[in-house]
Every structure is written in C-alpha cells, then in structure tokens.
Amino acid sequence: MILGAYETVKTARSGQRPTGADYVRNTISGFFELHGDRRFRDDPAILGGVGYLKDLPVTVIAIDKGHTAKERIARNFGAPNPEGYRKALRLMKQAEKFHRPVLCYVDTSGAYCGIGAEERGQGQAIAENLMEMMALKTPVISVLIGEGGSGGALALGVADRVWMMENAVYSVISPEGCASILWKDASRAPQAAEQLQLTASCCLKNGIVESVVPEDGLGSPDFYGRLTDALYDEFVSLRTLSATELTHRRYERFRAMGRRRD
Amino acid sequence: MAFLNFLFQPKNELETGGRSAAPAAAPDDPLKTCPNCHMDTPVSILRENSYTCTCGYHFRIRARTRIGLITDPDSFTELFTETASDDPISFPGYSEKLSSARSRSQESEAVVCGTATIGGHRCCLFVMEPNFMMGSMGTAVGERITKLFEYALENALPVIGFTVSGGARMQEGLFSLMQMAKTSGAVRRHSDAGLLYVALLTNPTTGGVTASFAMEADIILAEPGATVGFAGARVIEQTTLRPLPKGFQTSEFLLQHGFADAIVARPEQKNVLISLLGMHEGSDAK
C-alpha cells in the first residue's frame, strides 16, 4: 500500500513499531550493554554495547523511544542529550580500536531541545560526531528504523551505508516545524511532508540512502532474520576494504550530495 | 520634516545628559540608532569603530563589509562565485525566494569565500551573509565551504571563517542536512593535515551550522552578545515549559560553559587573527 507522505510520518512515529531496543534484541546475540560517556552521565535515550551479528562481533548503537509511557519517559522519548552522542562516539572509537564494525539503529524526532542540552553543547556534540564518524577506520552501517529527525539523526548517520525501513522518514525539519515557519500554520504539515521528500522512496531516489528495507512481517522472526542476513553480508563486503579506501569512499559518498563544478 | 530637526538638536552637552552630543546628521552621513542604547551615531563614526556602538553593541554587517574590516586592502580574491543553489526538491516558492535574496543581498549565495592576506598572512576565508536567507545552509553554501577547505588543504593554507546562520535551509530538504556531514568531512581532512581553522561566531549562529563547521574549529572565537546555540530559544521554552536563564545561548554563555575559546570584540578581531595566524605559520604537516 502506498501511503501519503504525512501518513508515513505518522506510521514512522507510531508507538506500535519496533524500537531501537527491539532491533538490538532481535538482530544481535550476546548483547552486552555499555553505559556512559565518561564525561557527564549515561543517556538512556541511546543504547549502546557489543554483541554478535551472526558470528561477527559488532558495536551496536541504538536510539530507543520505548513502548510504554513509563519507558518512553525513561528514554526521554528517544531525544538524545549531548552525553548520548558522546557515549555513541566513545563506543565507535572503541570499535575502531578493536576493528569491530559499527551498526546504528536510528529513531528520533531530533536531538533534545533543552536548557541542559545547550549548556553541555548539543551543537558541539553533534558536530564532533559528524567529523569523527567521517574518519572512523571501521565500517559503519546506519539503519533508519522510524523517525530520522534532522541533525539528531545525522549524528549517528555518517555511515558507509545508510538503509531505511520502508515506512521510516528522514527529514531536515519536522513537517509541523516546516509548516509553522514557512506558512505560520502547523496544520499544513501534510503539505510540508509531501514537499520535503522525506519518505524512504524519495531518499532512495535522491541518493541519500542505499537501500530501502521492506517491512513485510515487521517485527517477526523472519523480518529480523532477513535484516540480520543483509547486514551481515554488507559488513563482510565492507570489511574487504582497507581503512584508507573505506574512509575515502565514505567522504565521497557525502561529497557527491549537492556537488557542483566551478 | 527633516528640515525641522535643528529645532530638536541639543544645544549643549547638558541636554544630552552630559555625554558629548552626537554630531548632526549630514546628508551624506546619516545617523544610525543603536537598538541597544538608542543612541544615534553617524555612520562615518560607526565605520571607524568597525560598526560597533560605544555601548558595545555590534551592528549586523554584510559579508563584504566584514571582509573589508578583516583583510589587507585589495588582498581578497573571491572563489567559487559560480557555485549557486538550484532547487533540488522543487520546493514551492523557493526559486522566487532565491531571486529576492539575491537582489536584497547583492550576493549570489549566503557565503562569500576566497583567499586573502590578513596582516600579511595568506589564508582562506569564508564569511556568511546575513542578508541572504539569514545565512541558511543549502547545497551551495555547503559546496562552497567544502571546496574552500579542499582548496586550503591543497594549498596548505589556514582557514578563517565567520559564521552567521539560521541553520540548514529547509527548502532544500535532506540535501541541506547532508551539507553538515559533507562540510564536516572537509574540515576533518584539512585538520588531519595539521592546518589551522579559526571560526568566529557572529549573531546569530544556530542549528545545523552550529552542529557542524562552526563548532569544529581549532580555535572558536565569538563576537560579544551574539546568539549561538543549536535549538531555537522558543522551541526550548515550548519543550521544557521553563523560563530560560538570563543570557542563555549568548557568546558569554558559550564561554562560561566551555564551548568558545574567547570573546573578541570586532575592533580587536583583525589583530587577534594576525597574532593567531602568526603563531601557527609553518605548522602544517607538509
């Protein structure tokens, strides 16, 4: 079924969808959670740790929104603070040290907008992740599983491959935010959603993502099995590249977006 | 009624509260009112003070004006002027907005890039333009900044950058967002070669520019009183339902929380840059 863009936004935001923690639980065996940024505190919005993707040790980082009201509050509705991004970066650098690939599951309406977040440098935390991920000498795959909310999602999205669930969305601004800024009318969000080209098929067409993952049997063992196999094969092929070749191609991947000759 | 202005001019210093009276507006030297202290100052005096008021207020200035204040006379050579925005996601009204921004700002895009000397030190320079869609970053801005860092890397030059931006340009959708990653990659390569990058954050620097190249410099300077942050203040207030602390997201707040190296007033900026460029000369890895 083909949904309108705003219907897809609502689907992507639905509390019924599998969360980051569900993906970790069902694609990674022997997962061991690693907490904290070693600087300020542990951000519960981002889950990170080590485990096996089939027989391959990986570092996995997931933004988790939680299912129940209690979980959602504990996870800050999947809106990370700077310490969440710093924890993610710490684990990525650790993965680089031990030559482990990095797998990110991204699902956020955006980086948290709060007083403390600004005091602790939300912008700096995101900027540092972008710069460091660009040079990370180990393969990175990011999978957008629900909402890909602007810089808060991109901070875990500077990867060699970016995949998107069929009903996930990825956008520079929320349709509501876009409509209220441009037309002073948040109720025109459906129109903004169409214009922003935020659906998986648009992102694929625009070369923002490499692959769209079908949602047949979303959340079922078959679904996770297919995803696990696909991720595994992709990591195996990325691991054949030298670190220099890998980071060169990652740079060129983003370099091509909006490239102009002058 | 301008001819009646002389009736209201103060006749001595006491009438102006003891301060020396601002000179009357000459036809070729209009007065400008400071939004902070409301004092009128002739533009010629403002120009001498790098467009700052005696109260310390920094007037918003065009990229070209800033280039004139910072670089050695006739040393600036502009690069990448042909790199302009198109309308990558055919966003309604965007083409019209671009053409009005072009005529309003007299610039082809929201950043001016080039090479220059500052106190004799050769460098690459980018200066964002507030009158072009509030310095928002679309593909052309991202591309020009990326090219500048690539050019600087090839030529082993330091980069000096002045930021002013409302963030990513939503009319270009995800292509704008991806410029954050692209510019960050270019900054990283330049940095890995041991080359210096100094960012000077001016009012306002927010959103996707803060969350990318503005915060990636070796040395981060800020203009006094500038608003610098990631999220918009109103959005934070609506999210947290708490009043914002005084001075929230200013340069001073940034300094206090450890995210800027120093606050440098506009009249001092050139000298500070000359001294920093001098200290890093010959520091590149080549």
Side-chain angles (χ1 to χ4, degrees):
Chain A
M1 187 177 68
I2 299 197
L3 300 174
Y6 199 58
E7 291 301 308
T8 311
V9 172
K10 285 195 266 184
T11 306
R13 288 174 179 167
S14 161
Q16 308 302 312
R17 284 174 76 80
T19 66
D22 294 326
Y23 278 88
V24 172
R25 203 174 301 121
N26 290 287
T27 57
I28 304 297
S29 61
F31 176 67
F32 187 76
E33 189 173 358
L34 302 169
H35 291 274
D37 68 345
R38 301 290 192 270
R39 282 162 171 76
F40 179 63
R41 63 158 207 166
D42 187 43
D43 185 352
I46 296 187
L47 177 77
V50 287
Y52 287 96
L53 182 78
K54 296 172 92 167
D55 63 357
L56 183 69
V58 296
T59 287
V60 59
I61 296 160
I63 306 181
D64 187 70
K65 286 183 173 177
H67 285 291
T68 65
K70 203 178 153 190
E71 279 172 3
R72 289 171 86 84
I73 291 166
R75 297 282 191 197
N76 199 30
F77 303 90
N81 271 283
E83 52 273 20
Y85 295 115
R86 294 188 179 122
K87 167 166 73 177
L89 182 58
R90 176 176 82 84
L91 298 181
M92 287 188 239
K93 300 295 278 182
Q94 187 186 75
E96 180 181 57
K97 173 177 174 181
F98 297 108
H99 309 288
R100 275 196 298 267
V102 176
L103 171 60
C104 296
Y105 289 119
V106 180
D107 184 16
T108 182
S109 58
Y112 187 60
C113 298
I115 295 168
E118 294 292 320
E119 288 173 338
R120 297 191 296 281
Q122 188 71 281
Q124 188 275 339
I126 294 170
E128 187 170 10
N129 277 25
L130 304 183
M131 201 159 79
E132 292 296 326
M133 287 183 83
M134 198 58 94
L136 206 69
K137 294 183 183 71
T138 193
V140 185
I141 300 178
S142 288
V143 186
L144 294 156
I145 58 169
E147 269 187 287
S150 197
L154 184 65
L156 296 179
V158 182
D160 302 301
R161 299 283 184 272
V162 181
W163 294 358
M164 229 171 140
M165 290 297 140
E166 195 179 342
N167 288 308
V169 292
Y170 197 5
S171 186
V172 66
I173 186 170
S174 72
E176 293 81 5
C178 180
S180 52
I181 293 172
L182 278 189
W183 306 309
K184 315 274 175 247
D185 182 3
S187 71
R188 289 174 69 182
Q191 188 189 342
E194 292 293 342
Q195 301 299 346
L196 285 167
Q197 303 199 9
L198 42 68
T199 62
S201 56
C202 288
C203 290
L204 185 68
K205 181 193 77 188
N206 289 334
I208 304 290
V209 303
E210 276 78 21
S211 173
V212 175
V213 182
E215 293 190 6
D216 308 302
L218 182 71
S220 70
D222 266 5
F223 167 80
Y224 288 120
R226 283 195 306 273
L227 179 62
T228 306
D229 288 345
L231 287 168
Y232 183 85
D233 292 346
E234 198 67 45
F235 276 131
V236 168
S237 94
L238 287 170
R239 271 159 61 95
T240 62
L241 301 172
S242 70
T244 315
E245 187 59 26
L246 191 68
T247 52
H248 172 76
R249 289 190 190 186
R250 195 182 302 141
Y251 182 80
E252 287 304 322
R253 180 190 187 278
F254 289 92
R255 184 67 189 85
M257 296 178 188
R259 185 193 286 275
R260 305 284 201 299
R261 308 281 167 202
D262 191 317
Chain B
M1 301 293 273
F3 67 95
L4 286 176
N5 278 351
F6 73 94
L7 287 174
F8 306 109
Q9 275 169 20
K11 295 181 182 58
N12 58 44
E13 274 198 15
L14 289 175
E15 278 194 19
T16 60
R19 288 176 303 182
S20 56
D28 56 342
D29 192 9
L31 295 176
K32 213 166 151 68
T33 307
C34 172
N36 182 48
C37 73
H38 309 293
M39 194 169 86
D40 292 333
T41 310
V43 166
S44 64
I45 305 281
L46 285 180
R47 197 179 301 133
E48 276 170 36
N49 296 319
S50 308
Y51 301 92
T52 60
C53 179
T54 47
C55 74
Y57 180 80
H58 284 51
F59 284 88
R60 183 165 288 161
I61 53 174
R62 301 182 56 225
R64 304 274 163 190
T65 309
R66 217 179 255 291
I67 291 167
L69 292 177
I70 290 298
T71 59
D72 300 336
D74 302 321
S75 73
F76 182 71
T77 307
E78 192 168 357
L79 292 169
F80 323 128
T81 51
E82 301 302 310
T83 306
S85 275
D86 48 18
D87 187 3
I89 59 167
S90 310
F91 202 92
Y94 181 44
S95 304
E96 295 76 34
K97 213 166 247 184
L98 275 178
S99 28
S100 74
R102 279 179 194 131
S103 59
R104 188 177 127 84
S105 65
Q106 298 296 303
E107 296 294 348
S108 55
E109 251 303 332
V111 68
V112 179
C113 295
T115 58
T117 61
I118 301 177
H121 302 287
R122 201 159 168 256
C123 63
C124 283
L125 180 71
F126 72 82
V127 184
M128 301 185 81
E129 172 57 60
N131 295 314
F132 198 107
M133 297 182 76
M134 192 31 88
S136 64
M137 173 162 61
T139 48
V141 169
E143 185 71 10
R144 284 184 181 188
I145 286 178
T146 302
K147 280 180 175 169
L148 188 74
F149 276 92
E150 288 175 344
Y151 180 94
L153 173 60
E154 252 167 64
N155 295 282
L157 290 171
V159 175
I160 307 292
F162 288 79
T163 61
V164 54
S165 182
R169 190 176 296 169
M170 60 187 161
Q171 291 89 344
E172 293 189 30
L174 277 173
F175 288 105
S176 293
L177 187 73
M178 295 305 141
Q179 304 311 306
M180 293 168 62
K182 184 166 101 180
T183 53
S184 298
V187 173
R188 175 63 194 236
R189 287 186 158 195
H190 180 258
S191 177
D192 283 347
L195 296 164
L196 175 70
Y197 167 31
V198 180
L200 217 148
L201 317 182
T202 75
N203 187 39
T205 297
T206 59
V209 167
T210 298
S212 62
F213 58 85
M215 282 289 156
E216 293 168 344
D218 299 297
I219 296 174
I220 299 175
L221 309 175
E223 244 174 29
T227 294
V228 182
F230 175 63
R234 217 172 313 145
V235 180
I236 296 173
E237 219 159 21
Q238 284 162 5
T239 309
T240 60
L241 305 172
R242 277 170 60 194
L244 300 175
K246 204 165 174 277
F248 183 64
Q249 293 185 321
T250 57
S251 299
E252 294 72 15
F253 172 93
L254 221 64
L255 183 72
Q256 185 197 343
H257 288 93
F259 293 97
D261 289 288
I263 294 174
V264 184
R266 206 176 282 157
E268 313 303 323
Q269 287 169 4
K270 185 169 182 176
N271 283 336
V272 168
L273 291 174
I274 291 171
S275 124
L276 291 173
L277 285 166
M279 274 180 229
H280 290 82
E281 209 141 64
S283 65
D284 61 285
K286 280 184 187 170

